[in-house]
Amino acid sequence: MNIEVQCCGMAILLMIWYFSLRQKPLGLESEKLFLITLAVNSFCLVMDILSIAAIIHREVIPELLLALICKTYIVSLVWVGYFGLIYSSTDFKGTRAQRRRKNRAYTFIVIAGTLLIYLLPIHYYLEGNIVYTYGPSCMATYLFALLFVLVTLYKAGIRGRDMNPKRRRAITIWMLIWIMAAVTQFFNANLLLVGFASVLGMVILFFELENPEANLDRETGAYNAHALGEYTKQLYEKEEKFCALLVACGSRAVGDEESPRQTDKALLDIVLHADQIKDVKVFKTLERELVFLTSSQERMWETYRNVKDYIDSCWRQKVSPCFVVLPNSLALGSVEELFQMLRLFRVDKRKNQTDNSIVLDENRIHKYKEREKTEAMIRSAIEEDRIEVYFQPIYSTRQHRFVSAEALTRIRRQDGTIVTPGAFVPIAEKNGLISRIGENVFDQVCAFIQKNRLWQQGIGYVEVNLSVRQCEDPKLAETYIRIMERYGLDPSCVILEITESASIRLRDILLENMRVLMDYGVKFALDDFGNGESNLNYIVDMPVSIVKFDRDMTQAYFSSYKAKFVMEAAMHMIHDMKLEVVSEGVETEEQAQAIEALGIEYIQGYYFSRPLPGAEFLKFVAGSGQQAIYDGK
């Protein structure tokens, strides 16, 4: 019998079956399709052997049974091509509905081809050891199999950008081997190579793509980072809800060599311990962290408590764990968002020594997404020059007119609406964009002062805020001096405002910046006095000329006896240090009169004017704004 090649191929397939099934499956769609394709190939090879045996013993086998066996073999070749095409399509972009529509079309074709092959006549050749079939049925087989092979090659070649490069390469090699074998067998019918070519294709797919060992982390036995990415990608494509638990274990050991070993041993023990938890998949990331995935929230919380208790009982003295829990994956829109969230909050929790667990519920995720939108809005505003400066007049109680202003930042959205600082400054502070905004604002203020010669209109200076992040920049003074020189601006025309929080951090850098700028001629004000960590030591330590009472302190003066006493005492001490005071947040005539009677030099607030765009501010100070504001002056 001419079945030596087929028997060799069957031995190879049996080995692939053994190595494929000895590890528990991950559950990937490509993994399932590979096993189906492997099964169809195995069936095809068995039928190849049976057809040869049937032809050799045709004298004792009914004609109908002989035709059925031989046609079933050649039909299985078409189905091998069909499943090869379906397997290759797992990487292509598009919705699942689009892929299903295409697969239904392919299924219709393979069923039609199957029926045609069974209906057409088939002939047999047997002479010595040479055995094969031929005739219309075989020609139909060649046509349909070739159709699937060519479509597969087209997708892998023309549309291969969408495919995993390794899958593209493996499938292309398989199809080319199959074509060469088919062509060889077509012209040399005695060489039965097509079935063995399919076996070679399975070997290539197994070692290149579907070896279960490739999805495992060798150190822990958990699934690896590649498997995590592929599995979660598939779940999102299917829109299947799942729950995730990230466990990060930072070593408490001191020393670069001991720390990774400690972490790896802890992770290995946790994975071995987690094997007892049912319906949970465990993955190890490239950052030496574990991710647990399950479809059940109840099972997720059980896993969280189980793993946390295990670490507390066995590893409390050696590792410092943190836990990030995601109860509902559908609260995030993609795999990229999932990993971004897990990394972001893992870093956040590692900084927090009191609470090492965080739950990414829908509310927390919504807040994060809003912050992301705001950050994108800030970046686009900077790039598209939509940072605007508004000016709020400051009234002198001694000169009874407006003598200065505070520059306040606004962002104009693309639709023309205005975003106030409270909506973007905290986020800009965290991501570092505040430095670019601050430099932009200072540049606009210097240009505005010089262009409109504000000193000729009675505005002696404009106050500009410095962010905490700017105060940490060693090149702040150099940058601001360069901007003032570019506009030929007298440095006395600006006063830079620092906050108490700014004076705490990196004090040496801040003081050096202040020294250089003061030597150049710039003065400083202490902003938001009375807010948060208010302390007169800031005034003593910082070389400021003006202290600004924040709105809360001003308003408390009119509602609390204790606050009134504190504010009066603070004002007297500040005056004794030869410094001037600005009271912010004045909103009524009565408040303005009381603040003036108290002896405070400057008043700022909505009673006089809201922050105004540059053109409106100029009209204000040039017109009625400089007249008497309230009775009794």
Side-chain angles (χ1 to χ4, degrees):
M1 292 172 62
N2 187 22
I3 59 170
E4 292 84 356
V5 174
Q6 286 78 1
C7 291
C8 180
M10 183 57 68
I12 295 173
L13 288 182
L14 289 174
M15 284 192 295
I16 295 176
W17 275 112
Y18 169 75
F19 288 110
S20 295
L21 297 179
R22 73 172 185 169
Q23 296 289 348
K24 61 181 180 179
L26 176 59
L28 295 175
E29 185 175 354
S30 64
E31 183 181 71
K32 296 175 184 177
L33 285 173
F34 172 76
L35 291 177
I36 293 173
T37 307
L38 182 60
V40 173
N41 269 275
S42 301
F43 177 76
C44 178
L45 207 56
V46 169
M47 293 309 301
D48 191 5
I49 295 171
L50 286 177
S51 67
I52 294 173
I55 294 172
I56 293 174
H57 300 93
R58 58 187 297 182
E59 297 84 2
V60 297
I61 296 177
E63 183 68 24
L64 185 62
L65 179 59
L66 175 62
L68 180 64
I69 292 173
C70 292
K71 288 183 179 182
T72 299
Y73 160 60
I74 60 178
V75 162
S76 67
L77 287 173
V78 177
W79 281 85
V80 169
Y82 165 76
F83 278 108
L85 174 58
I86 298 299
Y87 174 80
S88 69
S89 301
T90 55
D91 282 345
F92 291 126
K93 292 180 180 178
T95 64
R96 290 184 60 80
Q98 291 172 331
R99 286 202 293 269
R100 279 196 294 266
R101 283 196 297 271
K102 291 181 180 179
N103 289 347
R104 278 197 295 267
Y106 301 145
T107 303
F108 174 79
I109 294 172
V110 76
I111 291 174
T114 299
L115 293 174
L116 183 62
I117 292 168
Y118 274 118
L119 291 173
L120 290 173
I122 188 169
H123 305 298
Y124 319 101
Y125 180 88
L126 173 61
E127 184 176 338
N129 287 329
I130 301 175
V131 182
Y132 60 87
T133 57
Y134 64 96
S137 185
C138 293
M139 292 302 298
T141 300
Y142 275 109
L143 289 175
F144 280 98
L146 182 62
L147 172 64
F148 286 121
V149 170
L150 292 178
V151 173
T152 303
L153 284 174
Y154 167 78
K155 286 195 167 189
I158 304 300
R159 299 186 57 199
R161 296 185 304 273
D162 298 342
M163 293 182 68
N164 177 319
K166 291 181 67 177
R167 193 184 308 280
R168 178 186 184 186
R169 181 174 62 250
I171 289 173
T172 301
I173 293 173
W174 175 26
M175 292 296 116
L176 290 176
I177 290 174
W178 217 29
I179 287 176
M180 288 188 291
V183 171
T184 302
Q185 185 169 321
F186 183 81
F187 290 104
N188 299 275
N190 60 312
L191 298 176
L192 305 182
L193 300 176
V194 173
F196 190 74
S198 295
V199 173
L200 293 180
M202 289 294 96
V203 172
I204 293 169
L205 293 184
F206 178 78
F207 284 106
E208 279 286 309
L209 302 169
E210 301 300 342
N211 183 355
E213 301 285 344
N215 288 326
L216 298 179
D217 175 68
R218 294 184 179 181
E219 296 175 347
T220 62
Y223 294 115
N224 57 26
H226 171 74
L228 175 61
E230 292 295 312
Y231 186 65
T232 51
K233 175 185 175 183
Q234 176 176 294
L235 291 175
Y236 271 106
E237 286 180 349
K238 292 183 176 181
E239 296 183 353
E240 291 184 8
K241 176 183 173 183
F242 64 91
C243 310
L245 167 66
L246 181 142
V247 180
C249 293
S251 175
R252 298 184 188 275
V254 178
D256 295 338
E257 293 185 4
E258 185 64 22
S259 178
R261 292 196 196 117
Q262 200 80 275
T263 300
D264 288 341
K265 190 173 188 312
L267 295 180
L268 174 60
D269 282 1
I270 294 169
V271 170
L272 294 175
H273 175 76
D275 277 345
Q276 62 185 306
I277 306 174
K278 296 181 180 179
D279 302 324
V280 175
K281 288 181 168 54
V282 188
F283 302 81
K284 182 184 174 186
T285 71
L286 296 176
E287 292 82 12
R288 283 193 169 94
E289 298 161 350
L290 296 180
V291 175
F292 298 78
L293 298 184
T294 177
S295 59
S296 165
Q297 280 197 23
E298 181 181 352
R299 190 54 53 89
M300 179 200 65
W301 288 115
E302 177 189 339
T303 304
Y304 166 73
R305 290 188 294 269
N306 192 314
V307 172
K308 193 173 189 299
D309 291 344
Y310 177 74
I311 294 175
D312 287 343
S313 61
C314 300
W315 286 91
R316 180 184 303 173
Q317 305 301 322
K318 296 180 180 179
V319 298
S320 175
C322 73
F323 305 87
V324 182
V325 182
L326 176 67
N328 182 4
S329 63
L330 298 183
L332 299 170
S334 65
V335 175
E336 292 75 21
E337 256 192 1
L338 169 68
F339 292 139
Q340 183 181 15
M341 281 288 184
L342 292 178
R343 282 193 296 269
L344 174 73
F345 287 98
R346 177 256 298 166
V347 171
D348 210 37
K349 283 292 98 182
R350 276 188 167 174
K351 295 176 182 177
N352 189 338
Q353 299 299 319
T354 58
D355 180 13
N356 63 350
S357 301
I358 189 169
V359 178
L360 299 184
D361 54 22
E362 292 186 10
N363 182 53
R364 191 184 299 274
I365 291 172
H366 174 73
K367 289 181 178 177
Y368 172 78
K369 288 183 176 180
E370 288 300 310
R371 194 177 80 182
E372 288 284 287
K373 289 181 183 177
T374 302
E375 181 173 331
M377 180 268 294
I378 295 170
R379 292 185 185 278
S380 67
I382 293 173
E383 297 300 326
E384 297 169 12
D385 196 24
R386 288 186 283 106
I387 305 294
E388 297 186 8
V389 180
Y390 279 46
F391 299 87
Q392 186 171 33
I394 297 175
Y395 184 80
S396 169
T397 59
R398 294 178 179 174
Q399 300 181 48
H400 300 293
R401 65 183 184 85
F402 296 100
V403 296
S404 61
E406 180 178 0
L408 299 165
T409 310
R410 302 287 187 269
I411 287 179
R412 187 173 296 277
R413 291 192 181 94
Q414 291 176 332
D415 62 5
T417 57
I418 291 294
V419 185
T420 55
F424 66 85
V425 166
I427 295 174
E429 283 274 10
K430 287 184 179 180
N431 61 25
L433 291 173
I434 195 67
S435 295
R436 293 178 64 184
I437 293 174
E439 187 175 329
N440 182 299
V441 168
F442 188 73
D443 188 284
Q444 289 190 53
V445 169
C446 291
F448 183 77
I449 294 172
Q450 188 64 26
K451 178 181 177 181
N452 297 286
R453 300 188 174 275
L454 292 188
W455 60 89
Q456 293 182 357
Q457 303 182 49
I459 303 300
Y461 58 87
V462 175
E463 298 173 356
V464 184
N465 285 282
L466 287 178
S467 70
V468 173
R469 190 66 67 92
Q470 285 178 286
C471 292
E472 298 171 357
D473 182 5
K475 296 185 177 181
L476 171 70
E478 176 187 335
T479 300
Y480 274 36
I481 289 173
R482 185 172 64 251
I483 292 173
M484 287 184 283
E485 288 178 343
R486 183 164 69 244
Y487 292 104
L489 187 68
D490 188 329
S492 65
C493 291
V494 293
I495 286 183
L496 297 177
E497 296 182 1
I498 60 172
T499 62
E500 294 170 5
S501 59
S503 65
I504 299 173
R505 303 173 60 181
L506 302 179
R507 181 185 297 264
D508 291 342
I509 294 177
L510 171 64
L511 290 175
E512 177 60 21
N513 277 320
M514 292 179 73
R515 183 192 66 76
V516 174
L517 286 165
M518 290 175 67
D519 288 346
Y520 187 71
V522 177
K523 293 184 179 180
F524 283 84
L526 181 63
D527 195 18
D528 291 339
F529 182 82
N531 182 18
E533 307 170 19
S534 183
N535 191 321
L536 285 173
N537 285 332
Y538 294 123
I539 303 173
V540 174
D541 294 342
M542 297 292 109
V544 296
S545 304
I546 296 175
V547 177
K548 302 188 73 171
F549 291 165
D550 87 309
R551 180 187 180 280
D552 291 341
M553 188 172 184
T554 299
Q555 291 298 313
Y557 176 82
F558 299 103
S559 60
S560 167
Y561 172 78
K562 291 182 179 179
K564 181 176 182 180
F565 178 81
V566 170
M567 183 167 162
E568 288 178 350
M571 184 204 67
H572 289 306
M573 283 187 285
I574 291 169
H575 281 164
D576 288 343
M577 288 186 279
K578 309 302 181 184
L579 305 178
E580 294 180 312
V581 178
V582 178
S583 186
E584 297 181 300
V586 175
E587 297 180 352
T588 67
E589 180 179 340
E590 291 74 18
Q591 290 177 356
Q593 291 174 344
I595 292 297
E596 180 174 1
L598 186 60
I600 289 178
E601 291 85 354
Y602 303 103
I603 302 175
Q604 180 180 347
Y606 280 14
Y607 170 62
F608 297 114
S609 174
R610 293 175 175 270
L612 302 169
E616 293 182 29
F617 173 75
L618 292 174
K619 292 180 181 179
F620 180 85
V621 297
S624 59
Q626 291 291 36
Q627 307 302 314
I629 302 302
Y630 55 85
D631 296 334
K633 288 205 248 312

